[in-house]
Amino acid sequence: MTVDVDAVVIGAGVAGLAAAAAFRRAGRTCVTLEATGRIGGRAFTDHPATLGGSPFDRGASWLHAAERNPLADLARAAGIALSETRGTWTRRVLIDGRAATEAELEAYARAWERFDEVARARAAAGPDTSLADAVADLAGDPWLAQIEVWESTLIAAADPADFSVQDWHLNELAGSNLAVAGGVGALVARVLGPPAGTVRLATPAQHIAWQRPGGMVEVTTPAGTLRARACVVTVATGVLRAGGIRFDPPLPEAQRAALDGLPMGLLSKAAVPALTAERFGLAPGTSLSRRVADPAEPAMFFHLWPQGRPHAVGFFGARAAWRFAEAGTAATAAFAREELVRLLGGDAADAFGEAEVTTWGTDPAFLGAYAYARPGCMAARAAMDTPLAGRLAFAGEAWCTDGLAGTVGGAFLSGERAARMLVG
Ligand SMILES: Cc1cc2nc3c(=O)[nH]c(=O)nc-3n(C[C@H](O)[C@H](O)[C@H](O)COP(=O)(O)OP(=O)(O)OC[C@H]3O[C@@H](n4cnc5c(N)ncnc54)[C@H](O)[C@@H]3O)c2cc1C
């Protein structure tokens, strides 16, 4: 089957749906190819039976930097309730099995201010280096590893020793952090799905011949070949780095080098049914963690009863997450329960059910959570700013230079921008 359309979009995540809608608004015909059986990509609200059907965002769960995040306005226009989370969480941190005192939490807050000051100064002064190197002078501060866990292994899904301090600085997520009633994935499916038009599910792009005669791009799938005048590829850098799509001719050296500079980090989640808020005397929305001595130490950061839902979500990232991804979901689920018991005390063991675990690191459609820039590689995010041969563009969370890299807001803006460049 050969079909001719104005534009073909590869991937029906946030970037792909935004690109497809932009093509259609410009009066172009567009088909979107999606490898999996659903739209939304890494924005996916699930309702697993193990969590009693309560909404669980396996991927994105907040609208970060909401003042600059186009999805916040789209949600409001659709009448979807948003609630501010910044400053609303009760923080509980354990040190050697006991709750940190007010004075210790105060020291934690001061350590964080110093961290920000030192890392920002180093990012501004250059040359680029790793986040770990940038804050090396703070070694000895008992809170340093804990702050690195938050700023690097959780927010960027990256090991601080392999993460560009300039990329960290550019993509700091200041401002409102909004929770979405019903979940971020549900918002994306409801608001971005319809304007995107035709999406062919379970139809992976296998091969893209992007210099065909007549200015055409040919995209081969198991269901046939699509011919288009323009193509936007929105798959994760992990998929591109693994050769998940073959390009003919191969991508130019500059673009391949950019991919090397933007590997996928991993953030994993384990959602544990937790129906007993009262028993522990902790408020819904409490954040619970234990102070670590090394950012590579496997330790989970929990968000308890988020938005009043009857579960706790444990997060961990980077090296520890990759290690558990290899070990499998049963090992991760067991670790999540062990961590909760460690954080809440031995009598907590019977209070939690089986954990529901995410698998972004091993799913071939993603191969990670989101891309981070290695030290010296921040410029790689701009490597796809010009369409190849005037017809092949790349979009997605990795290719953002506007300070929203790694987020649904950044993915949306990059998808719209790619389509605009190709429409001319
Ligand atoms: C655990 C986790 C937590 C996160 N938390 C947040 C958060 O709170 N806030 C936030 O803003 N962001 C968060 N993110 C990041 C956010 O989800 C992503 O930045 C964003 O969803 C990426 O969108 P995208 O369109 O660039 O890529 P994707 O969503 O990956 O879309 C690409 C699509 O391409 C498809 N695809 C892959 N290969 C092929 C192929 N060969 N052919 C056709 N289709 C293919 C994929 O199935 C996918 O649907 C989180 C991500 C994860 C994993």
Side-chain angles (χ1 to χ4, degrees):
M1 175 187 61
T2 298
V3 180
D4 288 346
V5 283
D6 292 323
V8 59
V9 173
I10 315 296
V14 171
L17 296 171
F23 279 124
R24 295 179 77 228
R25 275 198 309 274
R28 305 296 200 272
T29 55
C30 177
V31 166
T32 301
L33 303 176
E34 168 55 45
T36 69
R38 58 172 182 82
I39 64 169
R42 286 169 271 169
F44 175 27
T45 308
D46 202 358
H47 296 84
T50 43
L51 300 182
S54 60
F56 169 42
D57 272 314
R58 291 186 175 272
S61 47
W62 293 287
L63 299 181
H64 301 303
E67 293 77 4
R68 299 182 284 139
N69 191 326
L71 287 176
D73 285 340
L74 290 170
R76 286 187 195 104
I80 295 171
L82 302 174
S83 48
E84 178 61 81
T85 67
R86 191 171 289 273
T88 64
W89 293 7
T90 311
R91 182 183 290 162
R92 189 176 160 90
V93 185
L94 269 71
I95 303 175
D96 300 331
R98 59 160 180 90
T101 62
E102 280 304 313
E104 284 166 330
L105 290 176
E106 191 44 45
Y108 184 14
R110 280 198 306 274
W112 214 318
E113 283 165 18
R114 272 197 308 278
F115 177 98
D116 280 345
E117 198 182 311
V118 169
R120 282 178 193 155
R122 183 63 196 267
D128 196 14
T129 186
S130 71
L131 184 60
D133 181 50
V135 297
D137 286 351
L138 302 178
D141 187 316
W143 291 102
L144 178 60
Q146 187 79 2
I147 297 165
E148 286 179 312
V149 164
W150 182 261
E151 295 283 341
S152 191
T153 71
L154 294 178
I155 301 277
D159 187 331
D162 189 40
F163 176 34
S164 152
V165 68
Q166 291 186 337
D167 199 53
W168 167 82
H169 185 35
L170 178 65
N171 295 295
E172 279 187 80
L173 297 169
S176 279
N177 194 54
L178 301 179
V180 179
V184 170
L187 158 71
V188 165
R190 177 172 148 199
V191 172
L192 303 190
T198 305
V199 178
R200 295 204 184 137
L201 298 177
T203 309
Q206 297 166 309
H207 183 264
I208 300 178
W210 51 282
Q211 294 193 6
R212 302 305 291 157
M216 300 299 276
V217 179
E218 282 182 10
V219 181
T220 306
T221 78
T225 298
L226 267 167
R227 281 161 39 94
R229 271 170 274 283
C231 177
V232 179
V233 177
T234 70
V235 306
T237 62
V239 175
L240 295 174
R241 284 161 59 93
I245 298 175
R246 280 176 297 118
F247 291 88
D248 174 23
L251 294 179
E253 176 50 35
Q255 278 70 28
R256 280 186 282 143
L259 283 171
D260 284 341
L262 296 174
M264 295 296 276
L266 185 57
L267 178 71
S268 295
K269 296 188 192 179
V272 188
L275 301 165
T276 50
E278 303 76 24
R279 173 164 156 188
F280 299 105
L282 297 170
T286 297
S287 85
L288 184 63
S289 61
R290 60 188 166 87
R291 190 168 78 179
V292 294
D294 177 344
E297 189 180 320
M300 275 193 181
F301 170 99
F302 281 92
H303 189 204
L304 303 178
W305 308 287
Q307 296 172 268
R309 295 170 188 161
H311 56 252
V313 184
F315 299 77
F316 65 153
R319 236 187 289 177
W322 286 112
R323 211 178 311 142
F324 272 97
E326 262 173 45
T329 53
T332 311
F335 178 62
R337 283 172 54 92
E338 267 166 42
E339 281 283 90
L340 268 178
V341 171
R342 192 172 297 144
L343 290 163
L344 290 170
D347 63 340
D350 64 341
F352 304 102
E354 278 309 307
E356 189 69 32
V357 172
T358 59
T359 55
W360 300 105
T362 51
D363 187 328
F366 305 96
L367 296 175
Y370 30 88
Y372 66 93
R374 290 207 155 117
C377 297
M378 196 185 77
R381 294 201 186 273
M384 303 299 192
D385 272 3
T386 309
L388 302 177
R391 70 191 84 144
L392 177 64
F394 288 77
E397 54 83 13
W399 311 111
C400 296
T401 51
D402 49 15
L404 290 172
T407 71
V408 290
F412 182 91
L413 292 171
S414 84
E416 280 203 330
R417 191 178 60 230
R420 262 201 318 269
M421 286 190 303
L422 291 170
V423 164

